[in-house]
Coordinates of all heavy atoms in Angstrom, one line a residue:
R1412 N 171.3 -63.2 189.4 CA 172.5 -62.4 189.4 C 172.1 -60.9 189.5 O 171.3 -60.4 188.7 CB 173.3 -62.6 188.2 CG 174.7 -61.9 188.2 CD 175.5 -62.3 187.0 NE 175.5 -63.7 186.7 CZ 176.3 -64.3 185.8 NH1 177.2 -63.6 185.2 NH2 176.2 -65.6 185.6
L1417 N 177.7 -48.2 191.1 CA 178.0 -47.3 192.2 C 178.4 -45.9 191.7 O 178.8 -45.8 190.6 CB 179.0 -47.9 193.1 CG 178.8 -49.3 193.6 CD1 180.0 -49.8 194.5 CD2 177.5 -49.5 194.4
T1469 N 180.8 -49.2 178.2 CA 181.8 -50.3 178.3 C 181.1 -51.6 178.4 O 179.9 -51.6 178.7 CB 182.7 -50.1 179.6 OG1 181.8 -50.3 180.7 CG2 183.4 -48.8 179.6
F1493 N 170.0 -53.4 174.0 CA 170.8 -54.3 173.3 C 170.0 -55.3 172.5 O 169.0 -55.8 173.0 CB 171.8 -55.1 174.2 CG 172.7 -56.0 173.6 CD1 173.8 -55.6 172.9 CD2 172.5 -57.4 173.7 CE1 174.7 -56.5 172.3 CE2 173.4 -58.3 173.1 CZ 174.5 -57.8 172.4
T1497 N 171.5 -59.5 166.7 CA 172.5 -58.9 165.8 C 173.7 -58.3 166.6 O 174.6 -57.8 165.9 CB 171.8 -57.7 165.0 OG1 171.3 -56.7 166.0 CG2 170.7 -58.2 164.2
W1599 N 150.3 -46.2 174.6 CA 150.1 -46.0 173.1 C 149.8 -47.3 172.4 O 150.5 -48.3 172.6 CB 151.4 -45.5 172.6 CG 151.9 -44.2 173.2 CD1 152.7 -44.1 174.3 CD2 151.7 -42.9 172.8 NE1 153.0 -42.8 174.6 CE2 152.4 -42.0 173.7 CE3 151.0 -42.3 171.7 CZ2 152.4 -40.7 173.6 CZ3 151.0 -40.9 171.6 CH2 151.7 -40.1 172.5
Q1622 N 150.6 -13.8 151.5 CA 151.0 -12.6 152.3 C 152.5 -12.8 152.7 O 152.9 -13.9 153.1 CB 150.2 -12.5 153.6 CG 148.8 -11.9 153.4 CD 148.9 -10.4 153.4 OE1 149.2 -9.7 152.4 NE2 148.6 -9.8 154.6
F1625 N 157.6 -11.4 157.7 CA 158.2 -10.1 158.1 C 159.6 -9.8 157.6 O 160.1 -8.7 157.6 CB 158.1 -9.9 159.6 CG 158.9 -10.9 160.4 CD1 160.3 -10.8 160.6 CD2 158.3 -12.0 161.0 CE1 161.0 -11.7 161.3 CE2 159.0 -12.9 161.7 CZ 160.3 -12.8 161.9
L1639 N 154.1 -10.7 158.0 CA 153.4 -11.4 159.1 C 154.4 -12.5 159.6 O 155.4 -12.8 159.0 CB 152.2 -12.2 158.5 CG 151.2 -11.3 157.8 CD1 150.1 -12.1 157.2 CD2 150.6 -10.3 158.9
H1643 N 153.7 -23.0 160.9 CA 153.7 -24.2 160.1 C 152.5 -25.1 160.4 O 152.2 -25.3 161.6 CB 155.0 -25.1 160.2 CG 156.2 -24.5 159.5 ND1 157.0 -23.6 160.0 CD2 156.6 -24.6 158.2 CE1 157.9 -23.2 159.2 NE2 157.7 -23.8 158.0
A1650 N 154.3 -23.5 155.1 CA 154.5 -22.3 155.9 C 153.3 -21.4 155.7 O 152.9 -21.1 154.5 CB 155.8 -21.6 155.4
R1659 N 142.9 -25.5 165.4 CA 143.7 -26.5 166.1 C 143.0 -27.8 166.0 O 141.8 -27.9 166.0 CB 143.9 -26.1 167.6 CG 144.5 -24.8 167.9 CD 146.0 -24.9 167.5 NE 146.7 -23.6 167.9 CZ 146.7 -22.5 167.2 NH1 146.1 -22.5 166.1 NH2 147.4 -21.5 167.6
V1700 N 159.9 -41.7 188.1 CA 161.3 -41.8 187.7 C 161.6 -43.0 186.8 O 162.3 -43.0 185.9 CB 162.2 -41.9 189.0 CG1 163.7 -42.1 188.6 CG2 162.1 -40.6 189.8

Side-chain angles (χ1 to χ4, degrees):
R1412 188 176 314 192
L1417 307 179
T1469 66
F1493 182 72
T1497 62
W1599 305 86
Q1622 280 275 84
F1625 64 81
L1639 303 175
H1643 283 92
R1659 301 288 187 276
V1700 175

